[in-house]
Amino acid sequence: MPRSTPYTRFRTTLDAVMKKLNLSAAEKKLFSEPQHIHKAEITIKRDDGSKAAFPAFRVQFNNARGPYKGGIRFHPAADIEEVKALAALMALKTAVVNIPFGGSKGGVQMNPKELSRRELQEVSRAYIRAFLKVVGPDIDVPAPDVNTTPEIMAWMRDEFEKQTKSYSPAFITGKPLSYGGSLGRDTATARGGFYLIQELIDRAALDPQELKVAIQGFGNAGATMAHFLHNAGFTIVALSDSQGGIYSPEGIDPVRVEKYKRKTGAVAGEYCTGSVCDIKKMKMDGVQHITNEELLEISCDILIPAALDNVITEKNARKIKAKHILELANGPTTPEADQILEKRGIQVIPDILANAGGVTVSYFEWVQGRSGEQWTADRVDHELKRIMLDAYKAVRRQAYREKMSYRHAAFAVSIKRILDAMRARGWVIS
Ligand code: GLU
């Protein structure tokens, strides 16, 4: 059997949906591989004077509906297979929320935690120089992703403007407010997902006060979501970061966790230093130390994977106790796990819908960059909510009409929209 990679996992789902949609061989071919794969090697001078080189990628999956759009991640696992899969998911994501973009993704394969700020800035600028010819406000618009921040977006915009001798606020999104960013972009991914949860519980007449949530990942999306849900009355029973997490059936206050994470660098920092934990204090507070694997199997109503991909697999899908899963991370669930969850009646709101709030507000930022306007926070929120709920409705309809899982339905809605654009452009003759 061929090795399972993020891209082969993506293809398994894509192929299943294309089959259900009865696409012709020519149509299938247009979706099966990225339009462009760009590779480079980024070399920087380390602070100690030595040189370091890192593989870098920009994969442009599809631009039938508009300029390529997608973040750049800095991560040791960001190899070509992962970046290809993420680029494909971006093409579907922009289509499911119906914003006029295609899909792409970038990656630098390295551990940013081992670099100084100066070295990080060098990598960011070198990335833009490496792909200068294939990016731009009308061509391919980058954004933040895992381990990339508004500060990094600002360095990248500055490098692009220097290299092209232009004023280009719409070149990149997720920028700081002081340098062309949009209000609401920093919280957009979580906010979009939160609107979906609100809609889901409204439709099912559920009460937030009675719902328990577990969140894996305490980066931008996970931490912001924890705050939103906590403030809305949900009980957060488990939280984690890459080093592990904490579980408390009585509920965890994310504000307190945030404070300790800032102070100690870890979600469990109030109780544990590395693997050594203060058992007495934990007992007193009714808190347990858990691993990331244990978090997924915790007893809760809503499970939110908000870290990396490939965490819900055939090994643990049978043990998941949540009734709903909202995928704030990209690609957290394998196709095998999907089948198991579907059989067990666990509803999965798939990544391309669940975390599309980020790219949606990126679109607003791009519009503001091109027009020179500044939207209010209220306008951003209002438009985001409308777009998220419209997308949810389209996916729900497709799921009920064609008896598909939400993931297959979201893929189907997107593929149809991309195909329509391809037909309109004369790329598909039928
Ligand atoms: N990296 C985010 C995502 O995976 C945002 C992309 C964007 O804003 O372009 O959706």
Side-chain angles (χ1 to χ4, degrees), residues 370-381:
R370 291 172 74 99
S371 64
E373 266 181 57
Q374 271 266 295
W375 291 18
T376 62
D378 278 352
R379 180 167 176 198
V380 168
D381 272 356

Side-chain angles (χ1 to χ4, degrees), residues 10-30:
F10 163 76
R11 280 297 305 266
T12 302
T13 307
L14 180 76
D15 290 347
V17 179
M18 290 198 298
K19 201 168 159 199
K20 284 186 188 164
L21 292 177
N22 281 322
L23 296 199
S24 70
E27 288 167 341
K28 278 187 191 155
K29 211 167 152 229
L30 282 168

Side-chain angles (χ1 to χ4, degrees), residues 69-73 86 90 93-94 105 141-146 173-174 185 189 330 355-356 358-363:
K69 183 85 191 82
I72 301 168
R73 71 169 55 179
L86 292 166
M90 283 310 302
K93 196 183 298 186
T94 54
K105 199 80 169 198
V141 184
D145 198 73
V146 174
T173 60
R185 176 62 186 84
T189 306
N330 286 312
N355 69 35
V359 72
T360 301
V361 178
S362 274
Y363 165 54

